Amino acid sequence: MGEAAGQGVVEVTTASKKEVGFPFPGPIAQLQIRFRALENGFKTWLSKQSLPVEAAIVTATSAAQGAAIGAFMGTLTADVSSSLPVPPQGAALNPQAMASLQQAQALAGGPLLQARNFAVMTGVNAGISCVMKRIRGVEDIQTSMVAAFGSGAMFSLVSGMGGPNQAANVITSGLFFALVQGGLFKLGEKFSQPPAEDVQYAATRSMLMSLGLENYEKNFKKGLLTDRTLPLLTDSALRDVKIPPGPRLLILDHIQRVPDSRIGK
């Protein structure tokens, strides 16, 4: 009898949570949460290792990821590479023609060739970035460009791209990669800057975060329920901005119990 009553309470509580907008995470969301936990744990463990160990692991894992991407890209360019002309055995091509053929083969190679190229680029880039960040303690445009330079230089060496002067081509490729990466870094900074904080909802935001209801800040903004309106909030006002019953009760109870939240500071 007692167990049945307890089970009924659990079922009612579960149903109540679903009604007030607290859905349980689905299988995909649970997998994402576990993956993020494992990823954060791995990063924490890796940061405690010595610099050579961290750099080696980061380089290897990034190279493996790059190889997978390159192999996939190589399947798309395999038909192109098979149509490239093959010089007859013993034929002597001028250096410029040979350089052009090597460039075409590097850009349109099959899965194995592209896997090697991408593995080198991503592995070297990640390894240099890891060392630079550990030494300098910051990830900035300088770190990004140095890593890109090394990536471009190594790509030039393994792919054979460029003219007959290998040394000049290594430097040129490295500089090109560095400039592109620097431009992308600046572009990313420009678009990733957080929006200016809306001071009209500072107290509202603080209240919602303390209640674990920060997802409903957008509802307050849609209804123009600013900090100044906190003392005037009613159940009907919160219902008009489509806030479920459970969160409405928590918000109104918080406003009654915490005097500062009624002031709208």
Side-chain angles (χ1 to χ4, degrees):
M1 184 71 177
E3 292 180 357
Q7 185 178 0
V9 172
V10 172
E11 291 177 353
V12 171
T13 304
T14 302
S16 300
K17 285 184 177 181
K18 292 182 179 179
E19 288 177 1
V20 298
F22 293 101
F24 292 103
I28 296 178
Q30 291 178 357
L31 287 175
Q32 291 175 338
I33 293 172
R34 292 178 182 177
F35 177 78
R36 284 196 294 267
L38 289 174
E39 185 180 22
N40 292 334
F42 176 74
K43 289 181 178 179
T44 301
W45 172 83
L46 192 61
S47 64
K48 297 177 182 179
Q49 307 306 308
S50 63
L51 177 57
V53 172
E54 181 183 8
I57 293 176
V58 168
T59 300
T61 53
S62 298
Q65 293 175 0
I69 296 173
F72 173 75
M73 296 295 293
T75 60
L76 304 179
T77 60
D79 293 338
V80 178
S81 62
S82 62
S83 63
L84 293 175
V86 179
Q89 187 173 4
L93 296 180
N94 65 71
Q96 292 298 332
M98 181 60 70
S100 299
L101 180 60
Q102 289 176 339
Q103 289 178 359
Q105 291 173 340
L107 295 175
L112 292 178
L113 184 61
Q114 295 293 0
R116 180 201 65 184
N117 293 343
F118 275 77
V120 169
M121 285 191 293
T122 57
V124 171
N125 191 299
I128 295 177
S129 294
C130 174
V131 174
M132 293 283 290
K133 284 187 288 186
R134 179 71 78 91
I135 294 176
R136 301 178 68 238
V138 64
E139 184 178 4
D140 53 12
I141 188 171
Q142 286 84 2
T143 297
S144 182
M145 291 184 70
V146 170
F149 179 88
S151 176
M154 286 301 298
F155 171 73
S156 175
L157 286 174
V158 299
S159 66
M161 288 187 64
N165 191 338
Q166 188 65 41
N169 182 60
V170 166
I171 296 175
T172 302
S173 299
L175 289 175
F176 175 75
F177 274 57
L179 290 174
V180 171
Q181 184 65 27
L184 293 175
F185 189 94
K186 283 296 185 182
L187 193 64
E189 278 188 336
K190 181 179 180 180
F191 286 98
S192 64
Q193 289 179 352
E197 186 175 352
D198 195 338
V199 295
Q200 297 185 74
Y201 296 92
T204 301
R205 186 178 303 108
S206 176
M207 174 191 68
L208 293 175
M209 290 183 65
S210 68
L211 297 174
L213 304 174
E214 54 269 20
N215 290 337
Y216 294 108
E217 182 180 343
K218 61 182 181 296
N219 300 67
F220 275 77
K221 291 183 176 181
K222 286 181 179 179
L224 300 180
L225 299 178
T226 63
D227 292 347
R228 296 179 60 185
T229 67
L230 284 180
L232 309 174
L233 284 181
T234 62
D235 184 75
S236 61
L238 294 173
R239 185 171 60 249
D240 288 342
V241 294
K242 302 186 184 308
I243 296 179
R248 292 204 305 266
L249 292 173
L250 293 175
I251 292 169
L252 293 173
D253 177 67
H254 179 86
I255 292 173
Q256 291 294 330
R257 290 186 298 102
V258 183
D260 287 345
S261 65
R262 298 177 59 85
I263 300 173
K265 289 184 177 180

